[in-house]
Amino acid sequence: MGADNAGLLDVADVHGGYGQQEVLRGLSLRVRPAETVCVIGPNGAGKSTLLKMVFGYLRPARGDVLFEGVSLLGRRPPEILRRGIAYVPQGPSVLPHLTVEDNLELAAYVRSDRQVRGDVQRLLEEFPGLAARRRARAGTLSGGERRMLEIARVLLVNPRLVLLDEPTIGLSVAATDFVYAKVREFHRRGVAVLIVEQNARTALRNSDRAYVLEQGRVRFEGSGEEILGHPDVRRAYLGARA
């Protein structure tokens, strides 16, 4: 396979789920360097399970997950984070009793350099909404502010791949726009992004490629524009609007 097609992340014929419950049934997908890829599909299709498999919270019963050609099987989340994969789960992941600034500093625990404090200050300048609440406990933030904090924490670990699980669920239009502005910024920085999203139209419009999952398998794949215009996808997930 040519260098242009080389995968940063390769999920290869993965089967598995939770105990005896098989959720993924031979799922394969690829994310190339600096590429934004979204995964859409109905509830129960295996979207969040896929991200948990990649980040080491679940282990496939069969198949493999490779990052830069190296298998991630058997590796725990802290090691996977150190290898360059960051994960923003669907539910809140901030430490609610610590301040915004403390949450940011703790996020860089995998780093050994002395630039963390300076990088935290730079990020607070980049996220003025967080800077205004830097001394506030994270548990007092709104949903949109928490998502800002989660994304800012990801930037501190200098990832090569970011996994986003339903990043806009429950957010306002303005907060959703902010999230996808950051997704586009990841792209400009050369960071790959794998997004699981119910907000299918917005995700497709901001993705290079997309996969549609059904019952733990890939049913459709193509560019974001191709999937956005696919008649079956439009009927099932996008309603009547274009």
Side-chain angles (χ1 to χ4, degrees), residues 70 90 199 209:
V70 177
Q90 180 176 334
N199 188 349
R209 290 190 306 110

Side-chain angles (χ1 to χ4, degrees), residues 39-65:
V39 177
I40 65 171
N43 290 333
K47 303 184 301 296
S48 294
T49 302
L50 163 67
L51 297 190
K52 291 174 183 176
M53 291 277 188
V54 172
F55 202 63
Y57 285 125
L58 298 172
R59 180 163 183 164
R62 288 160 46 200
D64 206 350
V65 178

Side-chain angles (χ1 to χ4, degrees), residues 104-121:
L104 287 171
E105 291 183 0
L106 282 173
Y109 76 95
V110 297
R111 290 174 49 177
S112 57
D113 61 276
R114 298 182 179 180
Q115 305 302 317
V116 171
R117 187 170 293 276
D119 286 348
V120 167
Q121 299 310 311

Side-chain angles (χ1 to χ4, degrees), residues 49-163:
T49 302
L50 163 67
L51 297 190
K52 291 174 183 176
M53 291 277 188
V54 172
F55 202 63
Y57 285 125
L58 298 172
R59 180 163 183 164
R62 288 160 46 200
D64 206 350
V65 178
L66 300 108
F67 183 64
E68 298 183 314
V70 177
S71 177
L72 298 180
L73 297 190
R75 303 180 193 276
R76 299 183 62 81
E79 182 181 355
I80 292 173
L81 178 61
R82 289 186 180 93
R83 284 179 172 268
I85 300 178
Y87 174 50
V88 180
Q90 180 176 334
S93 62
V94 300
L95 298 172
H97 299 297
L98 297 182
T99 67
V100 166
E101 195 165 11
D102 287 342
N103 266 271
L104 287 171
E105 291 183 0
L106 282 173
Y109 76 95
V110 297
R111 290 174 49 177
S112 57
D113 61 276
R114 298 182 179 180
Q115 305 302 317
V116 171
R117 187 170 293 276
D119 286 348
V120 167
Q121 299 310 311
R122 175 182 56 78
L123 278 173
L124 287 170
E125 293 174 4
E126 188 177 330
F127 291 76
L130 295 180
R133 306 206 61 194
R134 64 193 300 164
R135 304 296 184 195
R137 290 187 178 185
T140 68
L141 302 180
S142 69
E145 289 169 336
R146 283 197 300 271
R147 191 57 86 193
M148 288 182 199
L149 178 54
E150 288 162 347
I151 291 174
R153 292 192 312 176
V154 161
L155 289 168
L156 277 170
V157 299
N158 300 317
R160 292 189 295 283
L161 171 65
V162 177
L163 311 175

Side-chain angles (χ1 to χ4, degrees), residues 15 21-22 42 79 88 116 140-141 170-171 176 208 224:
H15 297 250
Q21 180 188 4
E22 187 178 59
E79 182 181 355
V88 180
V116 171
T140 68
L141 302 180
L171 298 189
T176 295
D208 299 304

